[in-house]
Amino acid sequence: MEVVTPVTIFQNALLSGAEVVRSVKLLSQLKGVFEDEAAFEKMDGDQVVYEVDAWLPVAEGTEGGLFFGLTHLYPGTVGDEYFMTRGHVHAVENRAEYYWGLEGEGLLLLMDSNRHTRAERMFPGSLHYIPGYTAHRVVNTGDSVLRFGACWPSDAGHNYEVIDKNGFSRRVKSSDNEPVLL
Ligand code: M6P
Ligand code: ZN
């Protein structure tokens, strides 16, 4: 029997191995995402808002495969709005996804096709099923890095247009250091 060591290791909320690719999202790449544009312009655009480590064992678009991601979303605010991911729906709209909390705390915003937005609390151990046709975005409401895992079909793809154009119907802001959904 042949025994091999996996090429990818997922341990202590970190993903490593030769096939893991990291992408970095700088604040300057999130122009238009936050409400307070004046506050945004005053900030250092080169600061990292989040990083995604991804393992894509098959080619993007392959039917039947699965992708695995680990996102590191840093704490911070633009004005009083917490740092968050850009958010997307899937290019193949009916494709679902799992997210799960590993470290830190936050909110997962889920917006259905009627623009109704609900929020699920994220914390180490929280598990989130994101149905198809549902826009998803993660907000870091804590003061430490929020790390969460993700698993999605390799033919799901990303559609950012809907969110870039109309955003989510709710925003998460800090009021007296407490997150409020507006
Ligand atoms: C998770 C997955 C990825 C996604 C990433 C960042 O890791 O859902 O597919 O790319 O979060 O989110 P976004 O693409 O919205 O910036
Ligand atoms: Zn997704």
Side-chain angles (χ1 to χ4, degrees):
M1 187 178 70
E2 195 200 359
V3 176
V4 298
T5 301
V7 291
T8 308
I9 303 295
F10 176 49
Q11 196 181 34
N12 301 329
L14 294 176
L15 190 64
S16 60
E19 293 183 9
V20 173
V21 288
R22 167 162 287 204
S23 60
V24 178
K25 195 70 81 182
L26 303 178
L27 184 64
S28 59
Q29 296 171 288
L30 294 170
K31 196 177 165 61
V33 168
F34 298 95
E35 195 167 53
D36 190 340
E37 283 172 21
F40 180 89
E41 294 304 333
K42 287 193 193 118
M43 292 174 70
D44 172 16
D46 288 333
Q47 70 182 286
V48 176
V49 178
Y50 58 98
E51 293 156 329
V52 181
D53 295 322
W55 183 27
L56 315 176
V58 296
E60 174 107 48
T62 302
E63 197 185 312
L66 291 171
F67 288 159
F68 192 98
L70 177 59
T71 301
H72 313 270
L73 174 57
Y74 293 97
T77 52
V78 177
D80 50 11
E81 192 172 12
Y82 295 105
F83 278 7
M84 56 190 172
T85 59
R86 191 176 172 191
H88 61 271
V89 290
H90 292 146
V92 179
E93 292 177 304
N94 69 358
R95 297 301 192 257
E97 182 165 5
Y98 277 115
Y99 276 5
W100 60 97
L102 292 162
E103 232 183 271
E105 55 189 84
L107 291 175
L108 167 61
L109 298 185
L110 297 163
M111 182 171 75
D112 68 21
S113 45
N114 297 317
R115 294 190 53 76
H116 175 257
T117 300
R118 59 201 172 87
E120 292 184 0
R121 208 163 279 117
M122 292 184 97
F123 51 88
S126 66
L127 181 60
H128 312 270
Y129 180 72
I130 302 163
Y133 306 97
T134 304
H136 37 294
R137 158 179 284 168
V138 173
V139 184
N140 185 344
T141 58
D143 47 23
S144 62
V145 59
L146 170 62
R147 300 187 210 277
F148 66 94
C151 185
W152 68 102
S154 48
D155 64 350
H158 295 82
N159 175 346
Y160 293 103
E161 257 170 62
V162 181
I163 295 305
D164 283 355
K165 219 172 138 203
N166 301 315
F168 279 68
S169 57
R170 311 288 295 268
R171 289 183 180 274
V172 186
K173 294 192 175 179
S174 162
S175 170
D176 295 328
N177 260 333
E178 286 298 315
V180 283
L181 193 60
L182 300 169

